[in-house]
Amino acid sequence: MSHAVLGCIADDFTGATDLANNLVRSGLRTVQINGVPQDNSKVDADALVIALKSRTIAPADAVAQSLQAYQWLKAQGVQQIYFKYCSTFDSTPQGNIGPVTDALLDAIHGPGQGFTIVCPAFPENHRTVFKGHLFVGDVLLSDSGMRHHPLTPMTDANLVRFMQAQTKRQIGLVQHSTVAQGPQAMRAAFAQLQAQGVGVAVVDAISNQDLMLMGQALQDMPLVTAGSGVAIGLPQNWPDRLQKGSSASQLPAASGHGAVISGSCSLATNAQVQHWVQSGRPALAIDPLALAAGQDLVAQALAWAKPLLAAGPVLVYATANAESVKAIQNTLGAQHAGELVERALSAVAQGLVQMGVGQLVVAGGETSGAVVQALGVERMVIGPQIDPGVPWTSVRTPAAPGRDVHVALKSGNFGGEDFFVKAFAMLETHP
Ligand code: ADP
């Protein structure tokens, strides 16, 4: 039994598995815990990831939940706290990345004190930060599909400016030219910025090499805030904890039927849903307007799926393109539409698992949070990676007493076009 050295707070559930995946691949034994546990008994792991669903809730609630997670992690004896947000910096000018960062710094260092970084870079998934601007592939964040996100439309790629709008502290920048010089140069830049009154520095990173160098520079920083990418550089700071050989933990054999639940409206997920539908696999769309009109689409979806499951995986989705999402939001309001869809999709997921689904892919961060909460999943064991940022995990749920269920939580923007098909194919070859 060894207590964790790294304690992470993730603002959504797909983000948590993405982070846990990077930590496991870098050699740390990692346990993901959904929500803040009630008891303080020590967990045997090198890294702990607390998954919250705090990305789009009211800033005060996000702060309260994050502080609760921090207190629990502190009681576990961790040496460093990692606040994990999306690699597309999903937030609004009101929060929640800024307020949570401020609150954690206040709690760790005292009001207005301390210093941390901001770095959503995840180069393996084509998210890079250069001169303080976030790129998705070859375009600025604000030119990417994220500008149409249903809950957190991202229309400013300048992280210094955007973070400043959310934060009490002064925001600074450590440019790539400094990052490339290595840990010492970065530490000097942090000290210089702090002396100038900066509390939070956006740090450029365009490659895994940058992240490895940055990891060394962050060795003694009590709080790190970042996407999941920065996590690949941290485990090297605890050489005695690194696991040898295959880093992904072995999962129990997969069993049961397969299903995909998709509530993400990202460009990537739209393409994945289209790929599934065009390949002739069974798919059922959930119409938010029909939900709002009180139709029992959950019962209809379960009745539809029941006779199909034995023949192969089914897809139930609310995924829609930007234009139809806009139209629905104009009628129902963005928040209400999101909640209606999340509630319906999580009820479908629960029903499907009760009907014998044992391999469940969920697309969408908020959607994943809703599904995992509805399934009452407390812990997730991280397994092999399907695509960068998305591992299979194994969970226990009251919806499937006595059996392990494989769950993959896919952040909306992640995964290749054939992601859903690939996920199930992988379980056939890697039980
Ligand atoms: P992503 O990972 O792509 O951000 P999320 O699940 O986090 O996906 O967010 C998508 C949000 O959009 C969810 O709240 C979901 O319920 C909502 N949503 C899904 N389909 C629709 C739709 N057709 N119209 C309006 N909102 C939708």
Side-chain angles (χ1 to χ4, degrees), residues 62-73:
V63 163
Q65 290 184 22
S66 305
L67 287 176
Q68 234 188 330
Y70 162 65
Q71 293 300 346
W72 187 87
L73 290 166

Side-chain angles (χ1 to χ4, degrees), residues 12 14 55 90 149-151 263-266 269 286 288 318-320 324-325 328-329 334 337-339 341-342 345 363-368 410-413:
D12 86 339
T14 51
R55 183 170 293 171
D90 302 26
H149 191 279
L151 304 175
S264 158
C265 297
S266 70
T269 308
I286 298 283
T319 304
S324 38
V325 170
I328 286 161
Q329 291 185 334
E339 281 164 13
V341 170
E342 286 174 37
L345 289 181
E366 295 296 321
T367 310
S368 292
K410 189 194 80 76
S411 168
N413 301 298

